[in-house]
Amino acid sequence: MKITIDRHRCIGAGMCALLAPEVFDQDTDDGKVRLLDPAPLPARHAVAREAEHACPSGAIDVVPDGTS
């Protein structure tokens, strides 16, 4: 799994950091998403996908291994 974020698209809702704090955080300066782990272990894949779907701005993109 590979995760990318678009900070310009982020509105700072914080759902990602709430759902997957091991993978995402919020910047203390502007409240926007910070990616802590762009290639999380399989144990965190489900929460990363959940955070992607919960993001109201669509700023998170989760791509499974072996695809682009």
Side-chain angles (χ1 to χ4, degrees):
M1 166 179 285
K2 179 183 171 189
I3 302 172
T4 59
I5 57 170
D6 183 344
R7 285 183 48 84
H8 297 291
R9 192 176 214 179
C10 179
I11 61 171
M15 293 304 299
C16 56
L18 179 67
L19 292 170
E22 307 86 4
V23 180
F24 305 99
D25 197 3
Q26 280 186 279
D27 191 293
T28 56
D29 292 331
D30 62 10
K32 292 186 178 187
V33 63
R34 282 188 22 207
L35 184 58
L36 301 177
D37 190 354
L41 296 173
R44 295 190 175 128
H45 287 190
V47 294
R49 283 190 295 272
E50 186 177 352
E52 175 190 30
H53 295 296
C55 179
S57 65
I60 300 169
D61 188 32
V62 175
V63 179
D65 286 332
T67 61
S68 49

